[in-house]
Amino acid sequence: MSIRESDLKQASPACKETTLSNYLWKDHPDESKWADCVHCGMCLESCPTYEITGQEQHSPRGRVHLIKSVADGKLQVNEQFMDPVFACLDCRACTTACPADVDVGGLIEEARGQIRQAMPLTGVKGTVSKFFLKGLFPHQNRLNTVGSLLKFYQKSGMQKAVRKTGMLKVMPKHLAEMEAIMPEIKQPVRKKYKNQTVIPAQGAAKTGVSFLTGCVMDVMFSDINESTINVLTKNGNDVAIPQNQTCCGALHVHAGDRDTGRKLAKQNIEAFKDSDKVIVNAAGCGCMLKEYGELFREVDTEWHEKAEEFAAKVVDVSKYLHDTGYEKPKAELNTRITYHDACHLAHGQGVRQEPRDILLDIPGVEMVHMPNADRCCGSAGIYNITNPEMAGAVLESKMENVPDDVEMISMGNPGCMLQMAMGVQKYGRNQKVVHTVQLLDWAYQMEEKGKEEL
């Protein structure tokens, strides 16, 4: 399927006047992002999909060439173009490796937006995509309902029965693997603190921050959100949780639905407009929030300016704690840990050493180096659902680098945690997968428990 002449008639006049002849809509790939690419090949070894396929179209420079070729009118927006663009993990490792800092991730997301306007999903895929991206993720109440159902599934004995009877075997293999590592569902923090405007600091407050709880994060990993609040308040922060915040939109933008991404961005920008700092504990969400300006670059000057101002407030919790100072715990955890760099934290936000320093400040923690720690695990939002075979191959490569002699694998992104947990189970490991902020919280809790016992 390719662009039809009828599409040209429907395209806006502003788009038809552009020199980007085969991109018909606004918000097309930005020429400045590929202008410095000289196809040197420095990016090749950094790319997980190129490592696995060995195919040029599945390399960063290959994808940049394809995106530019559509802009030059040499290629159409069709199936052959769509496949390598959507097969990209959008892990940003290529930009880190690139001497010219070519923003391949930005190009990929902009190209996906053009593809989904030219070739919208139909049939079952279209229905499923619409249900999750438009009908579920932007609506916290609906997500909470799903969470309640999952909690009932876990607590009622249904989960044990399903696993015992082998019913999971009728599910696609990758979905059955996800069910096997589903975390324990607990009360979302936005629901817990819905009547509390601000969670006060423990002791004298140094400053106030706002906290993005996330959508799926607050349903599937509310314990990590709780640990984040505990650590922030322990270190003198009053924590506000705006109730009108919403999904960050990362999954929508990754899927090519940039219009919904913009709608969610506007809601979050308004929700946090009175905040000085917006703390995030999910790498993918934080990276998306920091890139809100890109969504409005070509379509809305006023909101582009607001988005840039908002992005300047966003900071990952590990970097915030590292930069503002935190109380070093005194209790010992006595465990061997290795650290995985979430792509959108290391490559997307440049946060690498800060979480490692936090872990090293916990007494009794022994850090074991993980080779290629910043190599993608294959999660990539919902990539492990939409591209399970490639995600599985990337995960296998990742697990080969996880040291055998560690008890925990720490990281700063929920998607990575689920994917790595699948890897631990699939390859017969016994490591516990944890979020960095959880370990700091546990050390604080042990310290308080020790004081109570004295």
Side-chain angles (χ1 to χ4, degrees), residues 13-72:
C15 293
K16 284 192 270 187
E17 291 172 2
T18 181
T19 57
L20 304 180
S21 57
N22 283 338
Y23 291 124
L24 303 184
W25 292 269
K26 282 188 176 182
D27 197 20
H28 51 67
D30 182 4
E31 182 178 359
S32 66
K33 288 187 175 72
W34 72 65
D36 293 329
C37 179
V38 295
H39 306 284
C40 66
M42 293 290 287
C43 59
L44 297 181
E45 291 186 1
S46 70
C47 180
T49 55
Y50 180 75
E51 175 190 39
I52 291 166
T53 66
Q55 297 175 356
E56 182 68 15
Q57 71 268 30
H58 289 296
S59 73
R61 71 177 182 186
R63 291 180 174 116
V64 170
H65 178 73
L66 291 173
I67 292 169
K68 183 178 183 298
S69 294
V70 174
D72 292 339

Side-chain angles (χ1 to χ4, degrees), residues 415-435:
C416 297
M417 292 181 69
L418 288 173
Q419 182 78 343
M420 295 294 281
M422 281 198 294
V424 167
Q425 182 187 66
K426 184 176 181 180
Y427 296 102
R429 302 294 194 92
N430 58 3
Q431 290 99 350
K432 183 179 179 66
V433 177
V434 297
H435 192 288

Side-chain angles (χ1 to χ4, degrees), residues 86 108-118 253 256-258:
F86 273 92
I108 289 293
E109 291 178 349
E110 289 161 353
R112 287 176 179 176
Q114 295 290 311
I115 291 169
R116 278 296 161 250
Q117 291 183 88
V253 174
D257 185 2
R258 294 173 73 82

Side-chain angles (χ1 to χ4, degrees), residues 100-388:
D101 295 323
V102 172
D103 183 10
V104 182
L107 286 172
I108 289 293
E109 291 178 349
E110 289 161 353
R112 287 176 179 176
Q114 295 290 311
I115 291 169
R116 278 296 161 250
Q117 291 183 88
M119 306 168 61
L121 289 172
T122 57
V124 175
K125 288 185 177 180
T127 301
V128 172
S129 176
K130 185 177 181 180
F131 171 77
F132 282 102
L133 295 183
K134 294 182 184 294
L136 186 59
F137 294 144
H139 306 281
Q140 195 63 38
N141 287 338
R142 297 177 189 176
L143 278 169
N144 288 344
T145 299
V146 172
S148 296
L149 292 172
L150 289 174
K151 186 175 182 179
F152 176 78
Y153 170 72
Q154 291 178 332
K155 300 293 185 181
S156 66
M158 289 178 61
Q159 186 177 52
K160 290 182 179 179
V162 167
R163 292 177 176 180
K164 188 175 181 180
T165 58
M167 290 176 63
L168 291 175
K169 293 180 180 179
V170 303
M171 295 176 63
K173 183 179 178 182
H174 62 288
L175 294 181
E177 290 174 345
M178 288 183 180
E179 193 281 341
I181 51 87
M182 184 192 305
E184 181 183 354
I185 306 300
K186 299 180 180 179
Q187 184 182 28
V189 298
R190 274 176 66 185
K191 188 174 182 179
K192 178 180 178 180
Y193 296 107
K194 65 180 180 180
N195 297 321
Q196 193 168 346
T197 305
V198 174
I199 305 165
Q202 301 175 34
K206 294 186 298 183
T207 187
V209 299
S210 294
F211 176 38
L212 182 99
T213 59
C215 52
V216 176
M217 183 74 175
D218 205 27
V219 172
M220 301 293 288
F221 293 100
S222 60
D223 56 337
I224 297 175
N225 279 352
E226 194 70 61
S227 285
T228 302
I229 294 168
N230 291 343
V231 168
L232 288 171
T233 55
K234 171 75 174 179
N235 286 284
N237 297 277
D238 289 333
V239 180
I241 303 179
Q243 289 295 314
N244 55 336
Q245 63 176 285
T246 187
C247 171
C248 71
L251 298 179
H252 304 77
V253 174
H254 294 335
D257 185 2
R258 294 173 73 82
D259 283 339
T260 302
R262 276 185 281 272
K263 180 180 178 181
L264 298 173
K266 288 180 179 180
Q267 185 171 335
N268 280 324
I269 291 169
E270 285 297 307
F272 291 96
K273 65 181 179 181
D274 296 324
S275 306
D276 293 324
K277 288 291 181 184
V278 180
I279 307 300
V280 189
N281 60 10
C285 297
C287 192
M288 183 71 256
L289 298 179
K290 284 179 170 291
E291 295 177 354
Y292 270 177
E294 285 295 299
L295 291 173
F296 301 98
R297 172 183 56 85
E298 193 185 58
V299 298
D300 193 318
T301 303
E302 179 183 352
W303 276 99
H304 177 262
E305 184 176 336
K306 289 182 179 180
E308 292 291 348
E309 291 176 357
F310 169 79
K313 303 176 182 179
V314 177
V315 59
D316 181 78
V317 62
S318 64
K319 181 169 177 57
Y320 176 76
L321 291 168
H322 185 274
D323 291 353
T324 60
Y326 57 93
E327 183 179 326
K328 296 181 181 180
K330 299 178 179 62
E332 295 188 6
L333 289 188
N334 295 321
T335 184
R336 288 169 62 83
I337 294 174
T338 192
Y339 181 78
H340 158 69
D341 286 286
C343 296
H344 285 87
L345 192 57
H347 303 301
Q349 300 180 60
V351 177
R352 294 172 178 269
Q353 191 58 41
E354 293 89 341
R356 288 177 168 86
D357 286 345
I358 289 173
L359 292 173
L360 288 169
D361 276 338
I362 301 174
V365 166
E366 181 182 351
M367 287 282 287
V368 180
H369 172 69
M370 180 192 298
N372 298 313
D374 62 354
R375 197 72 162 179
C376 186
C377 65
S379 170
I382 56 171
Y383 188 94
N384 51 3
I385 297 175
T386 59
N387 299 69

